[in-house]
Amino acid sequence: MKNTLNKVPCAEVNNYSRSDDFMRECKPQKKARFTAQFPYMSIRIFVTGGTFDKEYNEITGQLFFKETHLPEMISRSRVTPKVEVSTLMMIDSLDMTPGNRMLIAEQCNSVLENQIIITHGTDTMSVTAAVLAEKVHGKTIVLTGAMIPYKFGSSDGFFNLGCALAFVQSLPPGVYVAMNGRYFDWDNVRKNRQTGQFEELS
């Protein structure tokens, strides 16, 4: 009797014994890799300044900008995802202009990454978030900052950065603010200047 086992469709496997020839013929197709949907999985961090990166001048008592501390923070935190850090500007958010915000939006649209963190001064963080929500689509963008400079040692910046890294990998596309151990939608957040904490509008 001629062996027709290899000609039997795989769907009918339950009707036949699982011979080696049959199993070789009916090997399942490999599942598509998750990265096929998200071909560029690294995280982009854009630095814009803010208290996060301020230094303290011990002689004058003034705060100033020198260079970003993000590479050092990323190294110390031992994160495993690939992270690319780019400095766009080093300014206080109160000095940020509409042109500065357009530059941030343009950079978000131009990079390959779909997961973006922006370090930003806390005073006008929500203003920039609103601009990004209007100008950038299809990406997860998380803005974060600090109330105390990283170099002070007791800064909340390290914790906020860690939260932002987690949120940017877990939230759907949209614009968010990550402060005080939680995230906020871009259109439902404000800084409470009495408490120094971020809260929902309603």
Side-chain angles (χ1 to χ4, degrees):
M1 178 177 173
K2 186 176 180 181
N3 185 353
T4 60
L5 187 59
N6 290 337
K7 296 181 181 180
V8 178
C10 297
E12 300 178 20
V13 63
N14 291 331
N15 296 329
Y16 296 88
S17 63
R18 293 172 177 262
S19 69
D20 290 341
D21 288 342
F22 183 85
M23 295 308 293
R24 278 195 295 270
E25 185 72 16
C26 297
K27 280 184 178 178
Q29 295 294 319
K30 290 183 177 180
K31 291 183 179 180
R33 290 175 60 86
F34 179 72
T35 52
Q37 291 181 324
F38 303 96
Y40 209 84
M41 295 297 290
S42 64
I43 299 169
R44 175 73 62 166
I45 300 181
F46 284 131
V47 177
T48 69
T51 301
F52 207 101
D53 270 322
K54 284 184 176 179
E55 303 266 3
Y56 178 69
N57 187 318
E58 296 181 358
I59 298 176
T60 65
Q62 294 180 329
L63 296 174
F64 68 100
F65 292 109
K66 185 177 180 182
E67 58 186 20
T68 183
H69 306 300
L70 262 296
E72 175 186 337
M73 297 174 72
I74 294 297
S75 177
R76 289 184 59 193
S77 62
R78 302 177 68 186
V79 298
T80 54
K82 182 180 179 183
V83 177
E84 301 284 349
V85 178
S86 301
T87 300
L88 300 184
M89 61 197 76
M90 293 284 279
I91 62 175
D92 191 294
S93 70
L94 291 173
D95 298 326
M96 191 169 285
T97 66
N100 293 141
R101 293 188 171 91
M102 285 303 300
L103 173 62
I104 297 171
E106 290 168 1
Q107 290 297 309
C108 288
N109 280 318
S110 67
V111 296
L112 295 176
E113 293 90 349
N114 291 322
Q115 299 171 332
I116 301 171
I117 294 172
I118 300 171
T119 61
H120 195 287
T122 59
D123 286 314
T124 65
M125 189 181 291
S126 60
V127 177
T128 300
V131 172
L132 295 177
E134 178 186 358
K135 301 295 183 181
V136 185
H137 305 284
K139 300 190 176 191
T140 303
I141 301 175
V142 178
L143 292 86
T144 193
M147 300 300 294
I148 303 171
Y150 167 71
K151 277 298 186 179
F152 279 26
S154 59
S155 174
D156 55 331
F158 219 149
F159 179 77
N160 291 338
L161 176 62
C163 289
L165 283 165
F167 290 141
V168 81
Q169 295 177 81
S170 57
L171 291 170
V175 180
Y176 309 89
V177 168
M179 291 291 294
N180 305 119
R182 61 176 298 189
Y183 76 86
F184 303 85
D185 293 326
W186 68 270
D187 58 350
N188 191 25
V189 61
R190 66 183 173 193
K191 178 182 177 180
N192 185 319
R193 298 182 184 278
Q194 280 69 49
T195 64
Q197 296 181 343
F198 279 71
E199 60 188 18
E200 293 181 340
L201 297 177
S202 57

